[in-house]
Amino acid sequence: MKKPAWWTRAAIAAVTAIGALALPDAAHAASHREAPAIARDPSADNTDLHAWVQGSNLVILASYVPFQPPAGGPNYHSFSDDVLYEIHLVRGPTSLEDAITYQVRFATTMPDYVDPAAGMPTPAGGNEFFAQISGAVQTYTLVKIENGVTTTLISNAPVAPPNIGPRTNAQVYQAPPSGYPAYSVSSTFLRSLPGNEGRVWVGPRDDGFYADLGHLYDLGGLCPLMVQPNPPCTARNHLGGYNVQTIALEIPLARANGGPVTQGPSNAQTVGIWASASRRKVRVLRANGTHDELGPWVQVSRVGLPLINDIVIGLQDKDRYNASHPRNDMANFGAYILNPVLVRNAEYAGLYGAGQPLAAYAAQLPELKTNRTDIIDVINLALPILGSHTISSVADVLRVDLGMQSIYPNGRPLIPGNTIEQTDVTDISLTLVLTGTVGLNIGDGVGANDRSFLNTFPYLAPPWEGANESHYR
């Protein structure tokens, strides 16, 4: 798409307005049940990826397992012991190979088998109805790979438990009077890493992504876009009240950069971040109800930039996209970025028709449908307000210049203590793809999360409680 004369001026003005809310340098992505295969494998499904500079640290929040109802017991959602969870960090403007890889593996200690006729008093291991008193505990091991050297940063650290309810908090967790929120981020679960490698936290959190998914998937029937003859509707946050599982890392900037960070824009100290999940190639089911996982790891899910697999990649290639490496993105999927299917789908749904919300852009449809180099300029931080970077490796990775103030998409923070993020990723993505402008002109009508973010690491809000905060009618 040839950039019109207004491109640089309008883009700078829009992004500057968005950046006025900026706090730390940050970036964010979202992906929930976006591909056919991973929709059937929630334990390996990447949901969101946040990354931002907070003081002297790079914060990365990689979330998985979407749409967890808080009351989904007695076997509450968790990370899978059979999945390899990874956070990847690339450095500089040309390479998409990992400079650092963080690998997280989980292990669950199963409760002891107890003869149901033995009459043992509670707690009695596996002979219990309440899973939280059975003795089952999930732990994790965090490994860092850099320059071919594998270092175990922490072993057998406990995962924060599910937020079941006040009776469990008091009797089982023995949480302080302040309850689960403080207990879940206490030193039991928030751990410092040796050798000045930072901090880590793992466990359930509120899903911090907010969007009217229900109306979006109804042929783009977003409520702010519904004018006559369409019936009016009320926008809803369809992710409200759901939890996710999160791996949170706080990494010193010098560690992330491979050396000291200097202030100001720099291609060399711009990092790209993506997260993935992999399963063993072969799974063997046993007659006793157990199974074995064999063979090499095979990637089944990934997330980097906001909503790429959701609204850019066509249905036919979504599974292939999840299984592929970012280094191959332009060769395999570049046509989707340059020729966005969402524009054609919006045209099919009538949104560019006379009197409809996108009618003002109808004359630009030929340019909006093809050769969308403007999208690449945005995601590779080429705009002057984003530092005029010259990044040659185009891929689904979150770019964060470690020496610049955050202005989305060069980072995008949560606003600590608030219910909103720096900018609305759904609105800005829809606006860019459907209109060719950088701003918040096209939105879904949902402008805030349903729970306030924390002021401190791990920043995402506490998970919803099963006993008193669950979905019900």
Side-chain angles (χ1 to χ4, degrees):
M1 178 182 179
K2 181 181 178 181
K3 292 189 283 289
W6 49 259
W7 170 252
T8 302
R9 296 192 302 272
I12 292 175
V15 178
T16 301
I18 296 166
L21 297 174
L23 292 175
D25 299 1
H28 167 268
S31 170
H32 297 69
R33 291 176 51 84
E34 81 291 345
I38 201 62
R40 298 187 291 271
D41 189 7
S43 294
D45 189 358
N46 293 87
T47 61
D48 292 349
L49 178 65
H50 298 72
W52 75 89
V53 173
Q54 179 78 30
S56 60
N57 296 301
L58 173 67
V59 174
I60 301 176
L61 309 177
S63 296
Y64 298 82
V65 198
F67 292 108
Q68 299 177 26
N75 298 294
Y76 291 88
H77 291 273
S78 66
F79 287 101
S80 172
D81 295 355
D82 299 327
V83 173
L84 171 64
Y85 301 92
E86 293 182 291
I87 296 171
H88 312 261
L89 186 147
V90 306
R91 293 182 182 135
T94 60
S95 176
L96 289 169
E97 303 304 321
D98 286 8
I100 302 177
T101 309
Y102 293 96
Q103 296 184 336
V104 184
R105 292 293 312 277
F106 293 86
T108 302
T109 302
M110 299 306 294
D112 295 332
Y113 187 87
V114 175
D115 183 354
M120 289 184 62
T122 294
N127 187 27
E128 296 294 352
F129 168 72
F130 300 111
Q132 63 267 42
I133 64 173
S134 69
V137 175
Q138 188 174 58
T139 60
Y140 67 94
T141 295
L142 172 65
V143 169
K144 176 185 178 182
I145 303 172
E146 184 176 18
N147 297 323
V149 178
T150 300
T151 304
T152 299
L153 298 180
I154 195 167
S155 297
N156 302 318
V159 177
N163 188 6
I164 298 173
R167 292 170 58 79
T168 296
N169 291 335
Q171 294 181 237
V172 181
Y173 301 159
Q174 298 183 348
S178 53
Y180 180 92
Y183 169 73
S184 67
V185 294
S186 66
S187 58
T188 300
F189 308 108
L190 203 166
R191 298 295 185 92
S192 295
L193 300 174
N196 194 33
E197 290 284 352
R199 295 193 295 174
V200 62
W201 181 93
V202 177
R205 294 284 90 183
D206 164 59
D207 190 336
F209 185 66
Y210 44 92
D212 187 356
L213 297 181
H215 287 108
L216 173 63
Y217 296 144
D218 185 20
L219 295 181
L222 298 175
C223 296
L225 305 185
M226 291 297 98
V227 299
Q228 294 297 330
N230 299 293
C233 63
T234 301
R236 294 182 174 87
N237 178 15
H238 288 101
L239 296 109
Y242 287 106
N243 297 329
V244 293
Q245 300 292 317
T246 299
I247 298 167
L249 294 174
E250 187 179 65
I251 307 165
L253 288 180
R255 295 287 187 186
N257 193 46
V261 173
T262 58
Q263 292 301 305
S266 167
N267 291 332
Q269 62 185 22
T270 297
V271 298
I273 300 158
W274 60 288
S276 66
S278 301
R279 286 193 176 275
R280 296 288 189 184
K281 192 169 187 177
V282 177
R283 190 182 204 207
V284 180
L285 302 179
R286 302 299 183 185
N288 63 358
T290 64
H291 65 272
D292 294 322
E293 304 278 336
L294 309 169
W297 293 106
V298 177
Q299 182 179 299
V300 297
S301 178
R302 64 162 162 141
V303 67
L305 284 160
L307 298 165
I308 290 292
N309 207 10
D310 293 73
I311 68 174
V312 176
I313 305 302
L315 184 64
Q316 63 191 3
D317 271 331
K318 288 182 181 293
D319 290 335
R320 180 185 177 211
Y321 193 83
N322 269 340
S324 66
H325 192 284
R327 74 170 75 90
N328 302 315
D329 279 353
M330 282 309 293
N332 291 338
F333 312 108
Y336 286 108
I337 297 176
L338 295 172
N339 309 282
V341 65
L342 190 65
V343 175
R344 291 189 293 103
N345 285 181
E347 182 185 26
Y348 168 82
L351 298 182
Y352 291 97
Q356 296 304 302
L358 299 180
Y361 304 95
Q364 295 173 236
L365 270 172
E367 290 187 343
L368 290 171
K369 290 179 181 178
T370 188
N371 196 28
R372 294 294 301 275
T373 56
D374 60 306
I375 296 176
I376 294 176
D377 285 347
V378 173
I379 65 179
N380 269 9
L381 314 181
L383 301 184
I385 194 66
L386 300 177
S388 298
H389 293 77
T390 53
I391 295 173
S392 59
S393 54
V394 183
D396 183 10
V397 295
L398 281 164
R399 301 287 184 181
V400 182
D401 189 326
L402 301 178
M404 279 189 65
Q405 179 186 3
S406 175
I407 301 175
Y408 181 79
N410 177 31
R412 176 167 160 258
L414 303 175
I415 298 182
N418 210 314
T419 58
I420 59 174
E421 303 180 26
Q422 180 200 11
T423 192
D424 191 309
V425 67
T426 303
D427 291 2
I428 199 169
S429 299
L430 290 172
T431 300
L432 176 63
V433 173
L434 294 176
T435 73
T437 62
V438 179
L440 302 173
N441 306 338
I442 306 300
D444 64 347
V446 176
N449 191 37
D450 51 343
R451 174 159 277 182
S452 295
F453 302 118
L454 300 182
N455 285 309
T456 56
F457 184 76
Y459 297 104
L460 288 174
W464 295 94
E465 179 191 285
N468 296 299
E469 297 177 331
S470 192
H471 292 85
Y472 58 87
R473 294 185 184 276

